[in-house]
């Protein structure tokens, strides 16, 4: 690691993860998903995981700010993770083990958003149905933008989208256990909401993770507005 | 189709459909009309129909992604449609027969939006007036941005804008029959709402389709906010 | 008018009205003030009035689309107005006599916006206080962005901002009488709301008209949100 | 001051305060924090304070519009302040003594925003808890974007964020006493809300002031939406 492997984040290819992550983070910032250094994004390419750092202004990130981990790697403890590039002036993302949990299940990209619509739906679900309930919505066209489960095609218009919700913890790393439990309990899900916090969304590819995150955010926003207007989320 | 007619989507003219469609889709993405690969746009030029593909990120579309069909062409089955350009790695839009229905009635451009305001007004209309009701609003200046009907000039301030609403179906193609019925029943309309889904808006030209879609979206958003504030959509 | 005076709208100076109007209209489009070809803008420079045309996509306007009238000029009938530049393919704005009314009172720039916040406050004022009431708000810092009246400095924090409201008419030109009456009745105002339509805002300079329009739009949006939250517009 | 020290605001370095302030103000304008010439920003570099001027269109500011004061400097009266650069055609910001109060407490950057979310939370707090109450929220992940206090690290998820609220005054300068009292009473705060007006947010660096302002604005917006949905700000 003498030269800190700078070549790993230097590429002319706009589709290289080191270029895609800053581009995506800028877009997500303008969606309100990662203001105030919140949120994050990670991409897997071959046996390398590229991760946006902690605490940076996401809309101003640069390729040189990106961490690279060799995959597979231990989720815990951080000191055992096989970092092959670590920008010296930055801290690795506290989301790292959560991103790794998605990659262990075959994801190609994982997005963490602090969208307010996520926070609001987790609170509305708790208020209406209690802590154990997941978010459910059906009979909205945009549901068709979410997969039914790995290898099962996309949800249909009449299907019910279910997104599990886990409780937040003081330290983001400590969400990993609950996230993995939710992944086991809902093996078809590509997203887990975190109450009072945001969401983790992953996908087979960067495009799928991004468009699934957009479709989910659309549905959460719609759900909040439907609630304000007295319109139920499930067709009666 | 040996060379797949790439020349049909290559032009230096910014007003060529192959350049306009990506430009419009980027604008519509930022309006919230086609996030998560939803929505679509199609333009007729002479006897060619240019159509945005299915499933792509609309704000990142390229001219080379565009399908071209010779017009007229059968709406069904897809295999009989006279595609003269088919990007090999992409799927044709499921909106194709709906766009064709508009072109058969003389449209020059047809836009499909997933705007949340559309979804919300279709739900509010159903809740207040039942499934058979159309959306109605009057005495709002922006109504004057919508035509009274083909060759009839624009609606006046005191006129009532009526937009028919059809029920959604699991497969987008299956909307075609209901869309055409609505077009027959409301021969003056330039738009049909789809409950829990979005809207199809068309116009004689690209500019008219786009500005009519903007005026309708303005009116739907205003109607939702009026409803929240207890303000009726029709002047009492 | 042999060459239609194209030189009047050709300038390298970014602050020339022929360059400012397209630039402002693009900004106003993204504010939601002139989507669907609604709204408009006019600037006075010496004895020339520059006016955005009717019916164009405001965010795509070009300098060559601009009409020029010699000032002073009769407000009515349009055929008597001293147009010194008329793009042949475009219609003059129906707002022209309303803009002229502002210029006759010393304005340097007049903006017409269709902002939904304007429409909603005109409806809320009517519902709460009847047709004769004007919009009133006090004790909000942003009020200080609005002048007290010509030559009187800016409103103070404890002052009450009053914006008169006139009723809409089927033809925009026909608003002129009511607009001028409101200008007489409220000689200190720099803005007149039009119920169910939008607003006319003017200022001594382009910057003042624009920033006053921004401050008013801020206050109308805030007022709508305050109303939703049960917060009164005037300090009790 | 013969040449008015123009060199102080001329730099090729994008991170120089004279380049950062216009860049930040443009971003803040698009956040809705400083429309209509409202709001402002100030940066300390060594013994120089750079301040955006009063009354300019914040999204169009230029480096040459910036005032420079030598620090330390008397807060009052303005005539005693050690201005080392004063653009002749502009007025110094009325926020100057408030910015100076933050710099005297070690800040590196201070932001003043007119965000409507700030105005609305100050009104909601007063309505619910009276004039003496501060804004309080807990158990929201984004709270972790706000420091616990100088040298104390960041707030935790279960901590309660407290932001003091002071009453507005007709002249912005007159807020200084109340601002400083709030700073004494809440020595850990990095922000003070001003009722019916906006907020002052500061930070050790430009990045910290900006991201703290973003996190606070996120929390205020979320709080307003939670209130609309009947969700309490403090976990019960």
């Amino acid at each position: 690691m003498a030269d800190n492997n700078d070549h790993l984040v230097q590429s002319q290819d706009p589709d290289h993860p080191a270029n895609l992550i800053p581009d995506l983070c800028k877009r997500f910032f303008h969606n309100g998903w990662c203001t105030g250094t919140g949120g994050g994004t990670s991409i897997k390419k071959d046996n390398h995981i590229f991760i946006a750092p902690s605490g940076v202004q996401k809309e101003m990130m640069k390729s040189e700010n990106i961490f690279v981990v060799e995959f597979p790697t231990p989720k815990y403890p951080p000191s055992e993770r096989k970092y092959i590039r670590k920008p010296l002036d930055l801290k690795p993302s506290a989301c790292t083990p959560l991103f790794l949990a998605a990659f262990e299940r075959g994801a190609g990209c994982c997005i963490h958003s602090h969208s307010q619509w996520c926070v609001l739906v987790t609170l509305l679900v708790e208020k209406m149905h209690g802590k154990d309930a997941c978010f459910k919505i059906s009979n909205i066209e945009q549901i068709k933008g979410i997969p039914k489960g790995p290898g099962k095609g996309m949800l249909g218009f009449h299907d019910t989208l279910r997104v599990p919700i886990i409780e937040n913890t003081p330290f983001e790393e400590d969400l990993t256990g609950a996230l993995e439990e939710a992944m086991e309990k809902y093996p078809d899900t590509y997203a887990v909401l975190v109450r009072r916090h945001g969401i983790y969304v992953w996908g087979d590819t960067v495009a799928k993770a991004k468009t699934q995150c957009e479709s989910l955010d659309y549905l959460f926003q719609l759900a909040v507005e439907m609630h304000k207007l007295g319109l139920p989320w499930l067709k009666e």
Side-chain angles (χ1 to χ4, degrees), chain A:
Chain A
M1 212 162 118
D3 65 353
N4 201 9
N5 281 323
D6 285 349
H7 72 278
L8 290 176
V9 295
Q10 289 164 344
S11 165
Q12 299 300 321
D13 177 5
D15 287 336
H16 186 281
N19 296 326
L20 275 179
I21 289 177
D23 175 69
L24 290 169
C25 284
K26 189 184 282 187
R27 294 173 192 269
F28 298 164
F29 181 87
H30 292 293
N31 292 352
W33 296 356
C34 55
T35 58
T37 82
T41 297
S42 180
I43 296 175
K44 179 174 178 295
K45 186 183 152 89
D46 306 325
N47 62 334
H48 290 165
I49 308 291
F50 295 79
I51 312 180
S54 175
V56 303
Q57 298 177 73
K58 294 293 187 289
E59 81 281 25
M60 301 188 194
M61 257 191 69
K62 297 201 186 336
S63 303
E64 68 207 46
N65 302 145
I66 291 172
F67 286 72
V68 187
V69 186
E70 208 179 311
F71 187 81
T73 192
K75 286 204 291 290
Y76 292 106
S79 59
E80 305 238 328
R81 280 182 216 139
K82 293 185 269 174
Y83 283 102
I84 51 176
R85 183 169 200 276
K86 245 185 174 168
L88 294 178
D89 51 340
L90 294 170
K91 285 202 317 183
S93 171
C95 308
T96 303
L98 297 125
F99 290 151
L100 290 172
F103 294 128
E104 288 172 358
R105 279 151 187 85
C109 174
C110 187
I111 298 165
H112 173 45
S113 147
H114 280 196
S115 168
Q116 299 200 5
W117 307 115
C118 295
V119 175
L120 292 170
V121 294
T122 64
L123 290 167
L124 288 174
V125 168
E126 182 182 1
K127 190 184 170 188
M128 291 191 291
H129 305 294
K131 286 217 181 232
D132 293 333
C134 63
F135 171 78
K136 286 194 269 188
I137 196 164
S138 73
N139 293 74
I140 300 292
E141 179 70 10
Q142 196 77 27
I143 290 171
K144 290 161 70 175
I146 310 295
K148 202 177 270 190
K152 297 183 181 177
M154 307 304 270
L155 286 171
F157 174 66
H158 293 302
D159 290 333
T160 296
L161 168 69
R162 282 174 176 76
V163 185
I165 304 173
I166 61 175
E167 297 306 313
N168 200 29
T169 52
F171 298 99
E172 195 142 13
E173 297 91 335
D174 298 339
L175 287 171
T176 317
L179 183 86
E180 293 193 296
E181 265 179 53
M183 286 166 156
E184 309 285 302
K185 196 172 157 195
Y186 294 82
D188 284 337
T189 197
Y190 278 91
V192 175
L193 283 159
V194 185
R195 187 135 31 230
R196 299 173 170 273
H197 180 157
I199 195 166
Y200 285 85
V201 180
W202 57 95
D204 302 341
T205 63
V206 172
K208 285 183 184 178
K210 171 177 168 289
T211 58
Q212 287 162 205
C213 199
E214 286 170 5
S215 289
L216 287 167
D217 205 56
Y218 172 104
L219 290 164
F220 299 142
Q221 176 175 5
L222 185 69
V224 171
E225 292 300 308
M226 286 172 78
H227 187 85
K228 284 188 195 165
L229 294 161
L231 300 163
W233 296 347
L234 294 173
K235 217 177 160 185
E236 276 148 355

